Amino acid sequence: MRGRHVVKPFSWHFQEGQVWLVTGPSGGGKEHFVQALANSKALGLLPLFVSAEGGGYDNQLSSTELVSLETAAALIQEERSNDQGDYVEGGVDIGRTAARFICEVLAEPLDVAALSRLPEVQLCGVESVLGRGVKYLSTGEIRRVLLCRALLSRCQLLILSEPFAGLDVASRSLLREFFSRQMKSKEGPSVILSMERFQEIPEGITHVLEFTAGAVSFQGHFPDYQETLATRRLQAGEGQLQTQLQQNDCTFQELHSQQQDWSITPSAQDSLAMEKPVTQEVLVDMRDVRVAWGDRVVLNRLNWQVRSGEHWLIRGPNGSGKTTLLELITGDNMQVFCNEVSIFGRRRGTGETIWELKEKMGIVSYRLHLEYRMVGGTDVEAVLLSGFHDSIGLYQQRSQVEQMAVQRWLEIGGFQGRGGEPFSSLSYGEQRAILILRATVKCPPLLILDEPCHGLDEEQRNLVLHLLETIAATGTTTLLHVTHDPTEVLPCERHILELYQRQSPEDDHKECYRIIRG
């Protein structure tokens, strides 16, 4: 990759009837291996080099499909680059529909009705999204569409990377059903599963290939790997993680005490003030909100208020409007101007600029991740520094004070000494962890987290969740957190906004949510 070897030489044999798990920590090399094995043009070809002394590469599987967070991001990036909204009547170009995208792998295109009857479409549960533009689908819906297309392509090898990330409970059940069925069937593609979180691995795995620090750290049978993991836990003990968390707490508290004296920008200095609010300020106020795309109603009759210090868990099935809700707050959805929405006490559309609002927010989202993937030549330090200025990329001079702060945040995230690395060279999970740090560097009054733990390995996930809980405990930052994973719910999130998915046109006149206060 970019003229350097990212995985050290190794030998590997994939035999018929085997089901392999490719695993390892973020940035360990498994992402590069999977991309090279898939030979994915969308992600940039990573070549497999054969050593001069007796090496060889032979693949009897002529066609491979990769379904991953990376391929989903590449698809959305492609749709955005091809957007013709400036040249069509009404200014909206929905791009390829899910049906059109899926039909690209079929010998003959099918209409939506015929496509919805195919068993692969029903297995993936995408019948209801076939007529919608791909770029308007939720993260989970895009993943299911990619899986459906891969199955219909009649590929011989299907690689599923982090398959459960971003999926709701129903979608996870569908995927587990597919995996279980595929393991028992002699028809259809061979399957390789690539995952970082060992706790989510479905049944049926026979072998494990683990990458750590750019080299194979285990290769063998699944039961042997389980024994290896148990031995590692005994050797490491629980104290190592606790020591790291305690060190991070100390570093974070030092940053808190120092930030009041930092000479950053006046606006950033305001958001860095560490005094606890005297009263519960209303940060978000939505009244009778309705959002629709064409004839599809996403949010309806929503009345919701967020006060400072109230940490909210936002949950609901894929496509229920969770991301749309957050984008009304962040200013990334223009329908906010035809609704009664107030942010930090100001009604949207009354003269405030988006920058005045975003200087009080920290944001982690799929959209932000996509935008940063499209910015070339940005190093890790610049990504974190941009969090002080709410920009995509860094366009200000790097002040010494800000750089000193960023180095401490990199230390908290486990990225010390890596500030000069290109953001684009990191794995998807490492990029996500960096974007979480970017959102938290200025300790904003409102921290918006849309599935923040996508792609994180177990250690990163533990560090991030602990950091978020610590930030919430300061009393100066309020969390809005979207997640499908119950193990990622923070103890501080005592308020729940649960969104429902529209099942029929009759639902257009019903409330789309319920509120649970702890």
Side-chain angles (χ1 to χ4, degrees):
M1 186 178 191
R2 296 181 178 85
R4 65 184 179 92
H5 289 90
V6 291
V7 178
K8 297 177 182 178
F10 67 98
S11 297
W12 176 65
H13 303 277
F14 178 23
Q15 309 280 353
E16 184 176 4
Q18 295 176 344
V19 183
W20 282 81
L21 168 69
V22 181
T23 190
S26 294
K30 81 174 188 311
E31 298 92 349
H32 298 317
F33 168 69
V34 165
Q35 289 180 30
L37 192 63
N39 202 24
S40 175
K41 293 182 180 179
L43 304 177
L45 299 179
L46 289 178
L48 290 166
F49 294 98
V50 177
S51 62
E53 300 179 358
Y57 175 64
D58 179 44
N59 185 0
Q60 298 297 323
L61 301 170
S62 59
S63 58
T64 302
E65 290 286 339
L66 171 62
V67 178
S68 67
L69 292 166
E70 289 275 4
T71 53
L75 172 60
I76 299 302
Q77 187 172 332
E78 179 184 355
E79 286 297 296
R80 289 188 176 181
S81 63
N82 293 331
D83 189 288
Q84 300 294 313
D86 293 336
Y87 309 103
V88 300
E89 186 177 352
V92 176
D93 174 23
I94 68 170
R96 284 180 294 182
T97 63
R100 178 182 164 191
F101 176 67
I102 291 172
C103 283
E104 288 175 353
V105 299
L106 301 178
E108 296 181 2
L110 301 175
D111 59 32
V112 172
L115 195 61
S116 63
R117 290 193 293 268
L118 295 180
E120 292 86 355
V121 172
Q122 295 175 357
L123 172 65
C124 297
V126 296
E127 304 98 307
S128 62
V129 305
L130 292 176
R132 289 163 52 194
V134 169
K135 59 189 170 187
Y136 298 118
L137 301 181
S138 70
T139 308
E141 289 169 336
I142 292 172
R143 302 289 301 285
R144 287 188 286 166
V145 167
L146 283 168
L147 176 60
C148 179
R149 174 183 157 118
L151 294 177
L152 286 171
S153 72
R154 306 300 181 220
C155 63
Q156 292 185 297
L157 175 62
L158 176 60
I159 303 175
L160 300 175
S161 178
E162 299 300 329
F164 299 111
L167 297 185
D168 57 27
V169 174
S171 299
R172 289 179 182 226
S173 298
L174 284 170
L175 190 55
R176 287 186 182 277
E177 178 186 343
F178 158 75
F179 196 81
S180 176
R181 182 186 306 177
Q182 194 61 34
M183 295 309 98
K184 300 174 183 177
S185 173
K186 294 184 179 180
E187 300 179 357
S190 299
V191 177
I192 292 177
L193 198 61
S194 176
M195 296 179 64
E196 288 163 347
R197 295 176 59 186
F198 193 75
Q199 292 82 352
E200 293 185 342
I201 295 169
E203 297 179 358
I205 299 294
T206 62
H207 292 73
V208 177
L209 180 65
E210 181 191 66
F211 290 90
T212 306
V216 172
S217 49
F218 181 89
Q219 182 177 174
H221 291 87
F222 182 70
D224 295 336
Y225 185 65
Q226 290 178 301
E227 293 182 6
T228 299
L229 287 181
T231 301
R232 290 176 185 172
R233 292 190 189 100
L234 287 174
Q235 293 174 345
E238 294 294 329
Q240 185 173 352
L241 175 60
Q242 291 302 319
T243 299
Q244 179 66 53
L245 295 179
Q246 290 172 3
Q247 291 174 348
N248 287 353
D249 282 346
C250 292
T251 303
F252 177 76
Q253 295 302 332
E254 289 176 12
L255 281 169
H256 264 277
S257 62
Q258 294 170 359
Q259 283 175 195
Q260 295 182 39
D261 301 323
W262 287 346
S263 301
I264 306 176
T265 61
S267 58
Q269 186 68 47
D270 290 342
S271 65
L272 290 170
M274 303 313 300
E275 294 86 358
K276 293 189 177 182
V278 178
T279 60
Q280 279 197 309
E281 176 191 1
V282 177
L283 304 180
V284 178
D285 190 7
M286 295 186 177
R287 300 188 182 184
D288 205 27
V289 164
R290 175 185 172 88
V291 176
W293 303 104
D295 61 350
R296 179 175 180 269
V297 177
V298 182
L299 297 173
N300 192 49
R301 298 173 59 188
L302 175 65
N303 291 280
W304 182 47
Q305 200 174 75
V306 176
R307 295 181 177 272
S308 60
E310 293 181 348
H311 307 295
W312 285 82
L313 169 67
I314 303 171
R315 67 187 185 192
N318 293 139
S320 60
K322 301 183 297 298
T323 296
T324 298
L325 174 73
L326 296 184
E327 289 181 346
L328 290 174
I329 300 171
T330 62
D332 295 314
N333 189 311
M334 292 300 100
Q335 293 196 39
V336 67
F337 296 113
C338 58
N339 281 285
E340 188 174 349
V341 177
S342 297
I343 310 296
F344 303 115
R346 297 192 64 177
R347 170 83 180 266
R348 290 306 315 274
T350 57
E352 82 293 345
T353 69
I354 189 61
W355 305 112
E356 289 175 321
L357 298 178
K358 286 195 172 181
E359 70 182 10
K360 299 179 181 179
M361 300 180 192
I363 303 168
V364 180
S365 68
Y366 192 56
R367 176 191 286 265
L368 179 71
H369 200 153
L370 287 175
E371 290 175 344
Y372 250 107
R373 286 169 56 89
M374 299 175 72
V375 178
T378 304
D379 59 50
V380 168
E381 181 185 81
V383 174
L384 264 68
L385 287 170
S386 71
F388 288 116
H389 307 283
D390 311 301
S391 58
I392 306 298
L394 185 64
Y395 307 98
Q396 291 84 8
Q397 291 293 326
R398 307 188 187 203
S399 76
Q400 185 176 5
V401 173
E402 290 177 348
Q403 286 180 304
M404 291 173 59
V406 162
Q407 294 310 312
R408 304 301 301 276
W409 281 103
L410 288 173
E411 180 183 337
I412 288 175
F415 290 91
Q416 55 266 41
R418 301 182 63 183
E421 294 184 18
F423 181 74
S424 59
S425 71
L426 305 183
S427 70
Y428 188 95
E430 289 177 313
Q431 290 178 357
R432 198 67 162 202
I434 290 297
L435 291 177
I436 292 171
L437 295 178
R438 175 192 178 275
T440 57
V441 290
K442 61 181 180 181
C443 299
L446 188 62
L447 186 55
I448 299 172
L449 307 161
D450 192 358
E451 295 281 4
C453 294
H454 271 182
L456 301 188
D457 62 34
E458 199 64 29
E459 181 177 350
Q460 289 172 334
R461 181 173 169 269
N462 288 332
L463 289 173
V464 162
L465 293 176
H466 183 81
L467 172 63
L468 295 176
E469 184 69 25
T470 302
I471 291 173
T474 64
T476 59
T477 296
T478 299
L479 308 185
L480 303 182
H481 183 197
V482 170
T483 182
H484 290 291
D485 190 338
T487 66
E488 294 174 3
V489 178
L490 300 172
C492 65
E493 294 166 356
R494 299 189 180 94
H495 306 276
I496 300 173
L497 175 64
E498 186 169 13
L499 300 180
Y500 304 134
Q501 196 166 25
R502 175 177 175 265
Q503 301 296 331
S504 66
E506 289 73 22
D507 292 342
D508 290 353
H509 306 291
K510 300 177 182 178
E511 292 184 346
C512 61
Y513 69 100
R514 70 166 177 160
I515 290 175
I516 305 170
R517 292 185 178 272

